[in-house]
DNA sequence: GCTTCGCGTCGAAGCGCTTCGAAGAGGAGC
DNA sequence: GCTCCTCTTCGAAGCGCTTCGACGCGAAGC
């Protein structure tokens, strides 16, 4: 592997000049710059990341902390990850993948060892032990998800409260008076998952505002669980005409179960989902849905991190993306007959 | 941040001694070792990764190259990724996440820059442009998937040919004479995806061996596509009693469509899937299936990489894991009436 | 004509660690 | 008593890069 000294010799300049050509931190004459650049190309020079990190205390690597939990919906996670990597690359950075099983110590490890310049942390819970650690770490950090107390940290997420509200309003405008929210499995709520709880809040508030009945049913993913929950829903709420589904993995099964139970969508029952675009489109009856803009969030997270990194720009707290409901075949005006 | 010099001073030894305590590369007296270790703890010392990489030309980071393609089944991908990260951590290594959109150059970039010690590459195609690049890179590399010509590289994968065969044999033993394989969408095959093609090969060979009819139908993921393909299958093969499904995303919809078409599983039709354990279990009729052992593969990949890293042990070419079919409710003996 | 300035370049120091050779201290062997 | 080892520890060099101060030079200012 050629070093910067090799390049310097080849271009007949000093190593520092090569460095300045690369970083652009001092002006270099057109002439030398080209000479250096062609030497770099000719020798196939790539700066040694370790040496660079040592000298500049910058790694050009950001950490992405993924949850390992099985109850997170994987495709969304993956969209996040991919968009973060892509956006980071666009800014000349790489991504170090961490899972959560090291806990807060894992964060300390990589930052103390100067392995990363910044962190992006996913699946943040309302009362997340990582948040205080991140806050005191002092490195640029962005949370995907909003904890109860974000401290000085930047958060980015879909506005789930508005999302819940948005679903209610859509159904209300179609004339539905009684709706039910099919949620994530119980443990997700007990754990204090912000997005799940906020969705419920929004749902409840909006229902109250409009004087509509509301009810929340946590629900598992399997066919049997969905079947059991829906049976209970119809037994306990025979008048229900609107279903809001905030439980991605159950989505696929849900329409199937409804069919079995003799409910036609949207004739007997309107369904609104909160899930990735693709899932909503591919359903047997395409679902009216608020898409989860995973890619946009990932991208924003990277932008925020880069902002802090480059210009120590203090991001203005949380960014909550406005939900955008797309109407498809699964929701329709209630039939008054 | 304390440096090794701070620790040395605190423990009243030289920096090199601290280094040897950390690396264990020379014997250190019980006494000093403990003194050094408690200084490390007390000061909260973490070695600077960049400095270490520079001095030792070892980064303790391995690259994981993920495909970005939308037609890969995401949950499996994620299982791979998570198991790779977990296994790597168990060996004291971190994982740098790369996507495929930089192509072979991306590999060069991270290796030339000495950012990683080794690479794990997923979703390798039969004729993958990254393979020759990896081969000449000289770094330890492990492929998940088996290209047509692996060169000197180590490959790890499920034995998909045996998997196809295994499914046929299971159905044959139940008395089925005519089976159909529902495969991935056409482009997956045209792209030269090893695992898809090998499954078909195994399926065809085993069918031939047993004198059974065979037919392959590529198939998309959406409800409509599955419906269309299955309708064609039953029109063109009215006698079919066994379905082998090698198309994870279609799995969910499939049973639903069969029900619509008036086919009972397993009474009219036995279904065998090739998919992750969880998917097979959660189906409305639990599926007899060959699970894709993503975690095991990821783990093995890391082991292989570590082997090469530590002892320059030349892994013995490809490792193909033997498929293990689990019988569930979706397959039964054919009814002769 | 002399100072002043800015531009382009260089040299050297230093980032924090690993590692090699060597040195000091004691014990064993003759 | 002297040599020869072994066991611990140290010192110094060096990994490849960035960055700061300085220097030389031509242009501008008086």
């Amino acid at each position: 592997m050629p070093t910067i000294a090799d390049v310097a010799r080849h271009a007949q300049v000093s190593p520092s000049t090569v460095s300045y050509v690369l970083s652009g931190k001092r002006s270099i004459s057109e002439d030398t710059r080209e000479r250096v650049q062609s030497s770099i190309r000719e020798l196939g020079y790539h700066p040694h990341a370790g040496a660079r990190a040592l000298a500049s205390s910058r790694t050009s690597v950001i950490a992405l902390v993924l949850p390992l939990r099985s109850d997170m919906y994987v495709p969304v996670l993956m969209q996040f990850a991919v968009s973060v990597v892509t956006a980071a690359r666009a800014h000349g950075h790489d991504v170090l993948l961490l899972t959560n099983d090291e806990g807060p110590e894992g964060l300390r490890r990589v930052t103390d060892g100067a392995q990363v310049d910044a962190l992006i942390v996913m699946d943040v819970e309302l009362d997340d032990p990582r948040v205080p650690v991140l806050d005191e770490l002092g490195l640029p950090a962005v949370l995907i998800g909003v904890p109860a107390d974000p401290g000085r940290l930047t958060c980015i997420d879909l506005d789930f409260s508005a999302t819940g509200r948005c679903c209610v309003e859509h159904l209300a405008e179609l004339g539905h008076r009684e709706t039910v929210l099919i949620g994530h499995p119980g443990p997700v709520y007990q754990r204090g998952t912000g997005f799940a709880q906020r969705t419920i809040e929004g749902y409840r508030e909006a229902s109250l505002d409009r004087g509509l009945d509301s009810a929340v049913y946590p629900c598992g993913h399997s066919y049997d669980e969905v079947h059991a929950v829906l049976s209970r829903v119809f037994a306990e709420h025979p008048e229900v005409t609107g279903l809001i589904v905030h439980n991605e993995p159950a989505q696929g099964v849900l329409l199937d179960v409804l069919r079995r139970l003799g409910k036609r969508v949207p004739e007997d029952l309107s369904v609104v989902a909160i899930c990735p675009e693709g899932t909503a489109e591919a359903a047997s009856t395409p679902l009216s849905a608020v898409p989860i803009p995973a890619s946009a969030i990932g991208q924003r997270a990277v932008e925020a991190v880069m902002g802090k990194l480059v210009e120590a720009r203090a991001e203005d707290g949380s960014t909550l993306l406005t939900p955008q409901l797309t109407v498809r075949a699964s929701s329709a005006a209630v039939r008054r007959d």
Side-chain angles (χ1 to χ4, degrees), chain A residues 75-312:
Chain A
V76 177
L77 232 59
M78 202 69 185
Q79 281 183 49
F80 275 123
V82 166
S83 67
V84 165
V85 173
T86 308
R89 282 303 310 142
H91 289 266
H93 283 244
D94 275 294
V95 172
L96 198 74
L97 187 62
L98 302 180
T99 56
N100 221 344
D101 55 356
E102 283 184 88
E105 315 317 316
L107 307 182
R108 277 235 177 68
R109 186 175 59 79
V110 295
T111 56
D112 286 1
Q115 287 195 78
V116 302
D117 294 339
L119 304 110
I120 295 178
V121 179
M122 297 195 42
D123 190 34
V124 174
E125 297 175 11
L126 282 177
D127 194 22
D128 201 303
R130 297 170 299 175
V131 171
V133 175
L134 280 170
D135 205 16
E136 101 191 8
L137 238 37
L139 284 199
V142 172
L143 311 181
I144 294 180
V146 184
D149 173 18
R152 294 164 303 178
L153 301 169
T154 301
C155 309
I156 300 187
D157 209 348
L158 175 63
D159 187 337
F160 278 97
S161 170
T163 300
R165 217 173 288 126
C166 174
C167 293
V168 172
E169 274 152 21
H170 173 62
L171 290 175
E173 274 157 25
L174 291 173
H176 298 270
R177 307 301 307 162
E178 180 155 5
T179 68
V180 163
L181 187 146
I182 307 294
H184 286 274
V188 172
Y189 296 97
Q190 285 144 31
R191 200 168 78 220
T193 309
F195 73 89
Q197 299 201 358
R198 291 200 183 88
T199 306
I200 293 185
E201 279 167 33
Y203 165 69
R204 285 241 158 86
E205 284 169 21
S207 297
L208 224 57
D209 289 353
R210 301 234 170 195
L212 305 182
D213 289 342
S214 70
V216 175
Y217 285 77
C219 182
H221 307 330
S222 77
Y223 190 91
D224 291 343
E225 288 172 281
V226 174
H227 190 277
V229 168
L230 287 182
S231 302
R232 264 186 55 219
V233 167
F234 295 125
E236 298 170 9
H237 302 268
E239 303 290 290
V240 65
T241 58
L243 234 47
I244 296 170
V245 189
H246 187 204
N247 181 332
E248 294 91 343
Q251 232 91 284
V253 191
L254 189 112
L255 292 173
D256 193 5
V257 171
L258 287 177
R259 215 170 282 131
R260 279 266 199 115
L261 293 174
K263 300 282 182 182
R264 291 164 305 161
V265 175
E267 290 83 353
D268 303 326
L269 203 65
S270 282
V271 175
V272 179
I274 302 169
C275 69
E277 195 98 51
T279 310
E281 282 171 349
S284 54
T285 302
L287 297 169
S288 294
V290 176
I292 297 178
S295 297
I297 294 175
Q299 216 168 309
R300 289 235 187 177
V302 171
E303 307 290 338
V305 154
M306 291 301 153
K308 297 189 182 197
L309 223 42
V310 177
E311 18 174 319

Side-chain angles (χ1 to χ4, degrees), chain A residues 9 12 26 36 48 54 115 168 180 190 220 270 319 325:
Chain A
R9 216 169 302 127
Q12 317 216 56
R26 282 199 186 174
V36 168
H48 186 289
L54 180 55
Q115 287 195 78
V168 172
V180 163
Q190 285 144 31
S270 282
T319 305
L325 191 143

